[in-house]
Amino acid sequence: MSFREHVEKLEKAGKKTVVKKTVSKKLEASAIINELSDKAVLFEKIKESEFRASANIFPTKQAIADYFGCKVSDLIPTITRAIENPSKPEIVESKNAPCQEVEIEANNVDLDKLPILFHCPNDGGNFISSGVVVAKDSQYGQNLDFHRAMQIGKNKLSVRIVKTRHFDQFLERQKKMPIAMCIGNGAEVLVAAATSVDLGKNELEIANSLKPIRVVKAKTFDAYIPADCEFVLEGTISLEEKAGEGPFVDLTETQDIVRQEPVFTVTKITHRKGAIWQALLPGKLEHKVLMGMPREPTIFRKVNEAGVKCIDVNVNPGGCSWLHVRVKIDKRNEEDGKKAIMAAFEGHKSCKHIFVVDKDIDIYDDQTVEWAMATRFQADKQFTMKGRERGSSLDPSADPEGHLTMKCGFDLTAPLETKGKNFGKAEFPKADLKKYL
Ligand SMILES: Cc1cc2nc3c(=O)[nH]c(=O)nc-3n(C[C@H](O)[C@H](O)[C@H](O)COP(=O)(O)O)c2cc1C
């Protein structure tokens, strides 16, 4: 299924708000998307553009599970299977690729005509926030990554590339290279792009194993792109040309700083007929779920590999869906909590705090996790201070230069042998209130 088909499906099911009134891409559209929170929206008329825009299409795990046709509890095994069994997508010719139905040549490229939203009052400019970058390297093949991009001219964007990302490694090797930024993708492409897999693994093949996709050759270089996406910006990115990127409200809902980032010069735009722009509100639900959820399978795997029975993982929104991880284990040895903490850090290197709980604790319920901390945790025995290490560039409290941050873990599991009180939550007798009231 494509982004387009899914948007249409939501509309038929009455699960989408359609805004018919003309809305400005500057601050007005983002305000409406924010008010609607987890409700999908389609803007029929954007004041500055001939194109429609849509948002909040995948704001929850439930929405992504619905797209994949599975239960929320099956997301970790589904993504794990796709990572372990990538498969080749169907290749189609350009004439059969919706994303290349309309072609705009270099001299007509004008990013002002696209509904690139200006999200927050103090942002540095209009930002593409749902763009999936396809890049190719002679040794490692193709890679897929998300990279936000700030519009700095009619055909130029400065692109935020976090150090050590695979795309960063490609660019460091090539200095200047062609890329395609694809906008308007289904959840299989979005989730695959957000996974962190071994260098050299083509995430389009992971996407295809999540749900079959079609790919087509890009117009300006030898790489395959999702054939059913809505827009493709093709061009070159260079380390020799840099420009300020930011400020930008990021995942933590705080404002990220201005950095000098590589410039992407767009030399061709292709799009579907009647294309729909995929807007994505930074820091809000859709951004959070797409960042955090694809890390859960890697954490799950690492904890099991460490010999601890992992039951579930939640990279929870309260921790910005990035800095905090909750791990539910079936504790069999006294050391399992600590082992799970160390293994979970291996599965998500940007994480700052890990919380490990027993199998009776609901890791989606903040109060229950806090209850486990209040009743089962003794800091002198169950707190692990991992040390000051490189963490996330998104954490405002980390050292701004090297992103050094103190990483630690909380083992909130009960001891296997209790000497005093019981650790289970007592069950009260049940009553059928209809009989009494
Ligand atoms: C919505 C969204 C926006 C993102 N924006 C950026 C970004 O601007 N720069 C960046 O380096 N990573 C960004 N990321 C994270 C990377 O795309 C992601 O971690 C990816 O898995 C890294 O892939 P790699 O292991 O191939 O390097 C974003 C992720 C999501 C889900």
Side-chain angles (χ1 to χ4, degrees):
M1 204 189 326
S2 63
F3 174 77
R4 174 74 64 97
E5 282 165 349
H6 191 64
V7 169
E8 285 166 358
K9 198 173 142 194
L10 289 176
E11 185 158 6
K12 277 194 200 111
K15 290 183 178 168
K16 199 180 66 193
T17 305
V18 179
V19 177
K20 293 190 185 301
K21 225 176 143 196
T22 304
V23 162
S24 172
K25 67 180 182 180
K26 186 155 187 185
L27 299 172
E28 197 176 10
S30 61
I32 297 167
I33 299 168
N34 189 32
E35 291 294 337
L36 286 167
S37 181
D38 63 352
K39 183 112 180 64
V41 59
L42 177 76
F43 297 104
E44 295 269 18
K45 287 192 200 95
I46 297 284
K47 190 170 134 196
E48 302 83 355
S49 176
E50 65 177 276
F51 298 105
R52 295 172 292 165
S54 196
N56 295 342
I57 302 302
F58 302 109
T60 57
K61 285 188 185 177
Q62 187 63 58
I64 293 178
D66 289 348
Y67 183 90
F68 292 151
C70 71
K71 290 193 268 183
V72 170
S73 57
D74 287 334
L75 280 171
I76 290 181
T78 302
I79 299 169
T80 304
R81 264 195 306 276
I83 292 173
E84 286 170 0
N85 303 288
S87 55
K88 299 238 178 289
E90 180 193 348
I91 298 172
V92 295
E93 286 180 44
S94 180
K95 63 178 190 314
N96 296 322
C99 74
Q100 292 177 340
E101 279 169 350
V102 182
E103 207 173 325
I104 301 168
E105 300 299 339
N107 49 354
N108 288 323
V109 165
D110 184 357
L111 297 172
D112 283 334
K113 292 185 175 165
L114 299 181
I116 307 177
L117 302 195
F118 192 102
H119 300 104
C120 256
N122 296 320
D123 278 0
N126 303 336
F127 272 89
I128 301 177
S129 49
S130 67
V132 169
V133 172
V134 175
K136 195 169 176 182
D137 181 87
S138 58
Q139 187 176 342
Y140 297 110
Q142 280 202 206
N143 184 67
L144 227 60
D145 266 355
F146 274 92
H147 291 279
R148 71 184 192 227
M150 187 176 101
Q151 191 190 337
I152 53 168
K154 283 206 180 301
N155 63 345
K156 285 185 190 279
L157 302 134
S158 58
V159 181
R160 170 74 180 127
I161 309 171
V162 176
K163 282 279 144 218
T164 74
R165 292 261 186 270
H166 293 165
F167 175 45
D168 171 61
Q169 294 176 45
F170 286 14
L171 191 55
E172 284 295 337
R173 281 156 59 85
Q174 299 180 43
K175 310 293 180 222
K176 185 175 181 183
M177 62 189 286
I179 57 167
M181 185 173 272
C182 307
I183 295 128
N185 288 290
E188 65 288 282
V189 172
L190 300 174
V191 171
T195 57
S196 199
V197 290
D198 292 341
L199 185 62
K201 275 206 175 185
N202 180 358
E203 287 100 338
L204 274 178
E205 296 182 1
I206 296 173
N208 190 59
S209 289
L210 282 169
K211 216 171 169 79
I213 56 164
R214 309 184 308 157
V215 295
V216 64
K217 267 262 173 77
K219 286 278 176 187
T220 57
F221 70 118
D222 182 25
Y224 288 104
I225 57 174
D228 291 283
C229 70
E230 296 289 316
F231 291 86
V232 185
L233 314 186
E234 295 191 31
T236 51
I237 187 158
S238 170
L239 281 184
E240 277 133 41
E241 189 183 354
K242 289 196 174 175
E245 186 272 342
F248 177 74
V249 173
D250 209 327
L251 190 67
T252 57
E253 296 173 73
T254 61
Q255 197 158 55
D256 205 355
I257 55 169
V258 179
R259 298 182 186 84
Q260 291 297 308
E261 292 285 349
V263 170
F264 172 30
T265 305
V266 182
T267 55
K268 186 172 287 264
I269 298 177
T270 66
H271 65 81
R272 278 179 173 244
K273 284 185 188 146
I276 304 174
W277 188 258
Q278 186 171 21
L280 192 144
L281 216 53
K284 298 297 176 181
L285 292 174
E286 199 167 20
H287 190 191
K288 284 202 160 73
V289 79
L290 287 170
M291 283 289 283
M293 195 199 60
R295 290 292 181 274
E296 292 169 358
T298 36
I299 299 165
F300 186 84
R301 202 182 71 214
K302 288 285 179 192
V303 175
N304 277 305
E305 278 173 7
V308 180
K309 179 87 191 110
C310 184
I311 300 174
D312 201 3
V313 178
N314 183 17
V315 182
N316 61 306
C320 308
S321 294
W322 198 242
L323 303 175
H324 284 184
V325 172
R326 292 172 178 174
V327 181
K328 189 203 278 245
I329 63 167
D330 182 359
K331 182 169 168 173
R332 291 169 187 182
N333 295 294
E334 284 303 353
E335 288 303 301
D336 279 1
K338 189 166 186 175
K339 274 196 196 164
I341 290 170
M342 299 309 278
F345 275 121
E346 282 304 304
H348 178 23
K349 306 257 191 234
S350 298
C351 182
K352 185 162 72 167
H353 299 146
I354 310 264
F355 303 85
V356 179
V357 298
D358 286 305
K359 60 184 176 190
D360 62 331
I361 301 296
D362 179 354
I363 52 173
Y364 300 93
D365 183 62
D366 295 344
Q367 287 213 18
T368 313
V369 175
E370 191 175 341
W371 177 82
M373 185 165 206
T375 58
R376 299 181 180 182
F377 177 70
Q378 285 295 313
D380 58 340
K381 298 191 189 81
Q382 288 157 278
F383 177 66
T384 302
M385 184 90 95
K386 190 166 184 282
R388 213 167 171 74
E389 293 174 11
R390 194 187 150 86
S392 173
S393 64
L394 300 170
D395 177 3
S397 74
D399 167 52
E401 291 299 313
H403 312 309
L404 285 181
T405 193
M406 181 54 76
K407 296 191 178 184
C408 56
F410 302 79
D411 172 8
L412 311 184
T413 61
L416 289 171
E417 278 185 31
T418 59
K419 293 197 186 90
K421 285 194 171 196
N422 196 312
F423 287 92
K425 205 172 229 185
E427 290 255 345
F428 272 76
K430 305 249 182 292
D432 181 357
L433 287 183
K434 278 188 250 121
K435 286 191 195 162
Y436 302 92
L437 305 175

